[in-house]
Amino acid sequence: MSAKRGVLALAAALLLLACGCAGEQASAQSTAQLRALKPVEGTVVVTQHAGLYDGYEYFGAFTGDWAFVYSQGQAGYRAAGGEYKPLYTAGADVILQQYQGPADETDLWQRMDWLAGQYAYLPGAAMAPYCADGLWGFCDLNGTPVLEAQFASLAELWAYQETVAPPLPTAEPQQPPEGAETWWEDPADEGFYVLVGEKIRRYNAQGTELTSQPLALLILATDDKGKSTLTITDQDGRQLLQLTSTQPDPLHTDGELRFDGDWFYWKTDEGSVLPCRITVE
């Protein structure tokens, strides 16, 4: 975790919010006064997707509804609901040819993120990387080519994709509201989230509260015997889920700031990875 993200860690707590970037503590500069609305309505749900990764040699973190999986020479994608889409055959050396970390369980989280990045399913374009005769291109999840395999490596394929894809939106840093102890930028609306007491609220750049879905608080605590307990509550303090493990580094997210439909991963005492998804109803 970077130092910037570490600002949000409160006694090993990770806050789960809408996609954004971790901010800094309030500065001495004056800011807009908060104008609060009524609390938002809705129910936060945490769903455990047990067994999605079972039997696979390699697997990536989910990008949306699909995760890259590989076993016995077959590469494909697994859906959150369990559906499997086989796409192509390739040796393990081909799948991991550009991976710089150790190809074993000692670096599970790093490999998951690398596979998710290199083999990401792009929902906006409905395509994913595929390999044919040693060359790389993009195809849909039925195996129909979208961009014919013509690149010698994944690096070349993604370099080409970056030249044709539109840039991602960014936001200028916003000053936190007066009295806010912890805040996060919201790139989509150029506003910010703040922690007010035990409530998480969302405001625009002028300090007016915006309608938002319910948010959740994730707390990871480890005792002196190395037992870790993960507790997730909604913003009203109701417990949604509790998991325990004695595995080292049992929890993984791709960032502290989470949003409706996003994922976190729990390493069980049996050594398997349990994907869990946060949604709002």
Side-chain angles (χ1 to χ4, degrees):
M1 298 295 180
S2 67
K4 187 176 181 183
R5 289 176 174 172
V7 173
L8 306 183
L10 303 175
L14 300 176
L15 293 172
L16 309 179
L17 298 175
C19 185
C21 303
E24 300 175 351
Q25 297 295 335
S27 71
Q29 298 183 16
S30 61
T31 57
Q33 182 66 36
L34 296 182
R35 295 186 289 277
L37 304 176
K38 294 181 179 180
V40 294
E41 297 181 354
T43 303
V44 179
V45 178
V46 181
T47 304
Q48 303 178 54
H49 293 269
L52 281 183
Y53 291 142
D54 290 357
Y56 294 106
E57 300 168 48
Y58 305 116
F59 45 85
F62 274 81
T63 54
D65 291 323
W66 296 90
F68 173 82
V69 292
Y70 175 86
S71 180
Q72 298 180 349
Q74 181 71 59
Y77 289 81
R78 193 84 189 269
E83 184 182 3
Y84 174 63
K85 294 280 191 178
L87 286 189
Y88 57 91
T89 58
D93 57 333
V94 173
I95 298 299
L96 297 174
Q97 63 181 335
Q98 296 173 325
Y99 180 58
Q100 301 299 316
D104 56 37
E105 293 301 316
T106 63
D107 210 1
L108 174 63
W109 302 138
Q110 180 177 326
R111 189 174 68 247
M112 277 182 60
D113 286 344
W114 183 86
L115 288 168
Q118 293 296 307
Y119 297 94
Y121 172 69
L122 305 177
M127 65 184 188
Y130 82 105
C131 184
D133 298 324
L135 298 176
W136 293 91
F138 286 110
C139 70
D140 64 22
L141 291 184
N142 293 317
T144 304
V146 177
L147 176 66
E148 292 289 345
Q150 56 192 283
F151 298 95
S153 68
L154 274 171
E156 293 181 17
L157 174 65
W158 285 114
Y160 171 80
Q161 172 66 11
E162 290 175 1
T163 66
V164 299
L168 294 175
T170 59
E172 294 296 322
Q174 301 288 338
Q175 292 295 331
E178 183 177 355
E181 297 181 357
T182 308
W183 64 288
W184 308 265
E185 295 172 26
D186 181 357
D189 296 299
E190 297 186 351
F192 42 81
Y193 290 84
V194 298
L195 182 63
V196 181
E198 296 182 353
K199 297 286 184 178
I200 305 168
R201 298 185 180 275
R202 175 171 168 254
Y203 296 84
N204 64 17
Q206 289 71 47
T208 300
E209 187 172 9
L210 304 173
T211 302
S212 177
Q213 293 172 319
L215 304 171
L217 179 66
L218 184 153
I219 303 172
L220 178 65
T222 304
D223 63 20
D224 55 3
K225 297 182 179 179
K227 180 180 179 180
S228 296
T229 301
L230 170 68
T231 304
I232 299 180
T233 63
D234 64 19
Q235 63 179 15
D236 292 319
R238 292 185 290 265
Q239 182 172 304
L240 305 175
L241 176 70
Q242 189 170 76
L243 298 169
T244 59
S245 176
T246 56
Q247 292 281 346
D249 301 322
L251 175 68
H252 176 66
T253 69
D254 60 13
E256 284 85 351
L257 302 180
R258 316 296 294 166
F259 62 97
D260 182 25
D262 220 346
W263 295 81
F264 67 90
Y265 306 88
W266 183 256
K267 188 176 181 182
T268 69
D269 282 336
E270 291 73 30
S272 61
V273 173
L274 173 64
C276 302
R277 198 175 200 185
I278 298 174
T279 53
V280 178
E281 296 180 349

